Amino acid sequence: MLAAVGQEEWLRTTLEIAERCNLEIPLGNIQMPHFPLPSEYESEAEYLRKLCAEMLPERCDPTDPQVIERLEYELDIIIQKNARGTSWWCTTSAASRGRAGS
């Protein structure tokens, strides 16, 4: 396959790197990142809702009832699944790169 088109060195290097890797990911143990909650908020859910409300106008019409309904639906799932830390990271990370809502 690739070796036939002159990629032998590339394959050897890739295999060498792969053999040096030692990554163990424990299954069944969800590890969420921890982000400090600003003192003016009582919960991560409240803060996440605030961040999303601030960024919504950058991507959608914040007065459209369908947009509001969808945002509430998505936030309810995130909060129900207790995945706020990851969502906060995604939201602020996208915003810091100018891609809010991406």
Side-chain angles (χ1 to χ4, degrees):
M1 65 176 137
L2 288 177
V5 291
Q7 300 298 323
E8 299 87 0
E9 183 61 28
W10 177 82
L11 289 170
R12 250 190 314 282
T13 304
T14 300
L15 180 59
E16 182 182 313
I17 292 169
E19 288 173 343
R20 286 192 262 160
C21 293
N22 182 17
L23 175 65
E24 294 182 26
I25 301 174
L27 300 177
N29 182 13
I30 299 173
Q31 297 180 8
M32 303 299 283
H34 174 73
F35 297 97
L37 185 65
S39 60
E40 63 267 24
Y41 297 96
E42 292 185 23
S43 69
E44 291 179 0
E46 178 187 6
Y47 186 47
L48 179 60
R49 285 185 186 281
K50 179 247 182 210
L51 290 173
C52 290
E54 281 182 355
M55 292 183 206
L56 187 62
E58 297 174 21
R59 294 290 286 175
C60 305
D61 176 4
T63 62
D64 182 340
Q66 287 182 315
V67 169
I68 296 168
E69 182 181 342
R70 181 60 187 239
L71 177 61
E72 287 302 318
Y73 173 77
E74 298 289 341
L75 285 171
D76 287 344
I77 291 173
I78 290 166
I79 292 164
Q80 196 174 48
K81 298 291 183 187
N82 200 25
R84 293 177 299 275
T86 300
S87 299
W88 182 91
W89 179 84
C90 291
T91 304
T92 56
S93 179
S96 71
R97 292 188 202 92
R99 297 185 306 211
S102 297

